[in-house]
């Protein structure tokens, strides 16, 4: 009876936590009149993070994660000490991480659909998101199928890096990049969801800490690379389309 009650409480807690973290960034922005926000904020007014911060954070996460990976002596700290402490002292299992990983990108899409003005135009924003997730997914899947790292619970050899965490931090950085100037609570909510996703992957015994740190770094880095590469891709495609149209009209005139 007690175990059943604990299970029900755990499920309710997971649902409550997931619902709150999903809605948190949206409620923060939508609590203000959207037309007021759209009028007050222009793309040029939205402050940007210093370039050093945008690149140093993911580099630091990936470096620390790699230092804790099996190929380094520090892996003993991750594989035995951290896991033992977590599993012995935190008796908590939840499926919230399966949903929280999509929380930031849902908030990003929801704010866009609600008409909140971000840094990029709607079409560019959508293409940036596709590019960021394409880079992140490609890197994560490539590493999973080349490293063959065993999960802590022994379920399979797809532990490194954490795909859930990479997804969450990709969305969180997209949310920060586009809407961080509208309200500081929007990126805070996004990063809270992403961090919670990584923590739950460890407490659920699905990932080592090194998997989560590298996954977070990959997510952040993928978004930064997308923002750096996209203008070049857009310019190249526009130039190619312009050349194609010019050739078409020349042939037609001939």
């Amino acid at each position: 009876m007690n175990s059943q009650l604990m299970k029900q409480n755990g499920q309710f807690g997971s649902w409550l936590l997931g619902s709150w973290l999903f809605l948190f960034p949206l409620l923060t922005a939508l609590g203000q009149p959207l037309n007021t926000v759209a009028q007050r904020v222009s793309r040029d007014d939205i402050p940007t993070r210093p370039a050093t911060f945008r690149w140093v954070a993911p580099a630091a996460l990936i470096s620390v994660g790699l230092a804790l990976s099996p190929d380094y002596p520090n892996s003993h700290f991750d594989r035995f000490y951290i896991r033992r402490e977590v599993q012995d002292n935190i008796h908590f299992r939840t499926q919230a991480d399966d949903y929280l990983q999509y929380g930031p990108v849902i908030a990003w899409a929801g704010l866009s659909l609600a008409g909140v003005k971000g840094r990029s135009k709607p079409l560019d924003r959508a293409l940036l998101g596709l590019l960021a997730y394409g880079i992140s997914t490609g890197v994560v899947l490539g590493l999973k199928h080349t490293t063959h790292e065993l999960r802590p619970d022994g379920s399979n050899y797809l532990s490194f890096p954490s795909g859930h965490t990479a997804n969450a931090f990709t969305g969180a950085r997209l949310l920060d990049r586009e809407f961080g100037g509208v309200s500081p609570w929007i990126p805070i909510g996004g990063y809270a969801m992403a961090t919670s996703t990584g923590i739950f992957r460890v407490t659920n015994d699905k990932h080592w800490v090194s998997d989560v740190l590298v996954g977070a770094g990959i997510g952040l880095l993928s978004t930064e690379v997308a923002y750096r590469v996209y203008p070049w891709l857009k310019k190249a495609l526009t130039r190619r389309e312009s050349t194609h149209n010019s050739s078409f009209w020349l042939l037609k005139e001939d």
Side-chain angles (χ1 to χ4, degrees), residues 1-218:
M1 182 68 179
N2 290 335
S3 61
Q4 185 177 2
L5 182 62
M6 289 178 63
K7 183 178 180 181
Q8 291 176 347
N9 289 336
Q11 291 174 344
F12 175 75
S14 299
W15 174 84
L16 186 63
L17 177 63
S19 300
W20 168 247
L21 290 177
F22 266 120
L23 294 173
F24 182 67
L26 287 174
L27 292 176
T28 301
L30 299 179
Q32 310 173 57
L34 288 181
N35 58 345
T36 303
V37 174
Q39 291 170 3
R40 182 172 55 84
V41 179
S42 68
R43 294 182 185 91
D44 295 333
D45 294 333
I46 299 176
T48 60
R49 292 280 192 279
T52 52
F53 175 84
R54 296 201 303 265
W55 296 100
V56 167
L61 288 168
I62 292 173
S63 298
V64 174
L66 290 176
L68 295 173
S69 67
D71 295 332
Y72 291 86
N74 297 318
S75 65
H76 183 86
F77 179 73
D78 184 14
R79 296 301 185 274
F80 297 98
Y81 179 76
I82 295 180
R83 180 173 182 252
R84 184 179 68 245
E85 290 297 316
V86 169
Q87 298 305 317
D88 287 349
N89 297 295
I90 303 177
H91 306 288
F92 182 72
R93 293 289 186 274
T94 178
Q95 293 181 326
D97 47 333
D98 290 334
Y99 308 101
L100 278 178
Q101 63 173 318
Y102 302 115
V105 74
I106 288 175
W108 170 78
L111 290 170
S112 299
L113 293 174
V116 178
K117 190 176 293 185
R119 186 181 308 282
S120 307
K121 295 179 180 179
L123 179 59
D124 290 330
R125 193 181 309 155
L127 293 174
L128 280 163
L130 288 174
L131 182 59
Y133 272 98
I135 295 170
S136 176
T137 301
V139 172
V140 167
L141 291 179
L143 288 173
K144 280 182 178 292
H145 290 284
T146 54
T147 58
H148 302 291
E149 184 176 339
L150 183 66
R151 291 186 187 271
D153 64 357
S155 57
N156 59 46
Y157 286 86
L158 299 173
S159 187
F160 182 86
S162 170
H164 282 62
T165 310
N167 285 337
F169 274 91
T170 300
R173 183 49 66 89
L174 285 169
L175 196 61
D176 187 5
R177 270 286 204 159
E178 290 296 329
F179 302 109
V182 176
S183 169
W185 291 104
I186 294 176
I188 288 173
Y191 289 124
M193 286 187 280
T195 303
S196 298
T197 300
I199 292 173
F200 289 154
R201 297 307 283 169
V202 175
T203 59
N204 286 336
D205 209 26
K206 287 296 183 181
H207 282 290
W208 310 102
V209 171
S210 56
D211 303 337
V212 168
L213 293 176
V214 174
I218 289 172

